[in-house]
């Protein structure tokens, strides 16, 4: 099946730093979704991307849908303590109703 | 508007038992999907229901089953529990199914099999 490779696996940064993470796939995705999961909770949708080349922002978060449709990037500017969590990329597994394929996640840890 | 509600939040079961988990989607949402999350395998798709019909199923054994009721509420059942079934089970609802609509997740049910 399709696989999404996320990197880095974890990041240790200082508060106020910018963060970049990415997600790649060997197959084409028509939609890219970025989720954040806090401990003990379900993933929360941050940004959805629907078109190759699309750049979308949500506050301090910016995500891009790669031109090749095989990758996506998420940037967080001026990180704050509440940004701590696990960030997942996801895309449709195949067809409109096959569920989502998730990456393994990037664990963001912020040192004050 | 109320989010996706999953019950119970925590559950401890013994090997060989069966378990039923419940999910109430956002009002008006007709699609409900189920995912299993484990530290080793991450988030994996179990199945999706739309208008009481299972539209797709992930690569899980037949011990995992589900159903959806006419009010869109969904249940998933795991029979003959194994230790490896210990996981966080997440339910997600969507207005019409398909990633284009986005999925809203519940807080999950943490199942521990002993």
């Amino acid at each position: 099946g399709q696989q999404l490779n996320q990197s880095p696996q974890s990041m240790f940064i200082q508060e106020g730093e910018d963060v970049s993470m990415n997600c790649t796939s060997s197959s084409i995705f028509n939609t890219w979704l970025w989720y954040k999961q806090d401990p003990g909770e379900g993933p929360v949708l941050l940004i959805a991307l629907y078109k190759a080349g699309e750049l979308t922002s949500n506050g301090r978060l910016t995500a891009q849908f790669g031109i090749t449709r095989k990758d996506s990037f998420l940037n967080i500017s001026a990180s704050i303590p509440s940004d701590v969590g696990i960030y997942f990329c996801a895309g449709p597994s195949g067809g409109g109703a096959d569920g989502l394929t998730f990456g393994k996640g990037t664990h963001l840890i912020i040192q004050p | 508007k109320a989010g996706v509600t999953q019950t119970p939040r925590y559950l401890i079961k013994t090997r060989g038992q069966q378990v039923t988990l419940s999910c109430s989607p956002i009002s008006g949402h007709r699609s409900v999907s189920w995912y299993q999350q484990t530290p080793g395998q991450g988030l994996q798709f179990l199945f999706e229901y739309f208008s009481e019909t299972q539209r797709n199923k992930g690569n899980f054994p037949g011990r995992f089953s589900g159903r959806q009721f006419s009010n869109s509420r969904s249940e998933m059942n795991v029979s003959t529990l194994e230790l490896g079934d210990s996981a966080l089970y997440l339910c997600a609802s969507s207005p019409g199914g398909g990633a284009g609509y986005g999925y809203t997740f519940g807080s999950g049910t943490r199942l521990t099999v002993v």
Side-chain angles (χ1 to χ4, degrees):
Chain A
Q2 293 176 315
Q3 283 189 318
L4 293 177
N5 301 305
Q6 262 188 272
S7 64
Q9 275 191 312
S10 57
M11 301 182 74
F12 294 80
I13 63 166
Q14 300 282 338
E15 185 177 348
E17 286 185 19
D18 295 343
V19 172
S20 289
M21 59 189 80
N22 69 79
C23 195
T24 60
S25 170
S26 56
S27 34
I28 287 172
F29 277 77
N30 293 317
T31 300
W32 286 94
L33 305 171
W34 284 94
Y35 284 88
K36 178 183 180 236
Q37 187 175 29
D38 292 326
E41 298 296 328
V44 173
L45 182 65
L46 299 173
I47 293 178
L49 301 160
Y50 302 108
K51 200 163 77 168
E54 180 182 354
L55 186 72
T56 297
S57 293
N58 178 7
R60 294 177 296 105
L61 277 60
T62 302
Q64 183 160 26
F65 193 140
I67 294 286
T68 65
R69 298 200 285 161
K70 293 184 178 180
D71 57 7
S72 180
F73 305 87
L74 177 69
N75 295 318
I76 305 173
S77 63
S79 58
I80 59 177
S82 62
D83 291 334
V84 165
I86 305 177
Y87 292 79
F88 292 97
C89 61
S93 303
D98 288 348
L100 295 175
T101 296
F102 280 83
K104 295 290 191 192
T106 292
H107 194 176
L108 181 61
I109 297 156
I110 298 175
Q111 298 160 331
Chain B
K1 119 175 146 173
V4 179
T5 304
Q6 290 189 247
T7 56
R9 283 298 305 269
Y10 302 93
L11 208 47
I12 299 176
K13 289 286 188 178
T14 305
R15 262 186 308 177
Q17 287 186 312
Q18 75 157 13
V19 67
T20 299
L21 312 181
S22 179
C23 172
S24 293
I26 290 172
S27 178
H29 284 195
R30 295 165 65 191
S31 165
V32 174
S33 305
W34 288 89
Y35 291 81
Q36 182 196 65
Q37 185 175 27
T38 59
Q41 299 300 317
L43 279 146
Q44 294 185 287
F45 171 69
L46 280 156
F47 28 66
E48 179 184 13
Y49 286 86
F50 182 81
S51 293
E52 302 177 66
T53 301
Q54 186 181 90
R55 290 209 296 190
N56 232 298
K57 193 175 192 304
N59 190 24
F60 279 81
R63 300 185 296 107
F64 291 82
S65 63
R67 58 178 177 167
Q68 186 179 34
F69 302 95
S70 58
N71 61 358
S72 293
R73 190 178 70 86
S74 177
E75 289 180 346
M76 70 163 278
N77 184 76
V78 188
S79 62
T80 319
L81 284 165
E82 300 176 359
L83 294 179
D85 296 334
S86 294
L88 180 66
Y89 289 88
L90 292 158
C91 161
S93 82
S94 170
Y101 294 92
Y103 293 88
T104 302
F105 283 83
S107 297
T109 293
R110 172 75 62 185
L111 172 65
T112 302
V113 182
V114 298

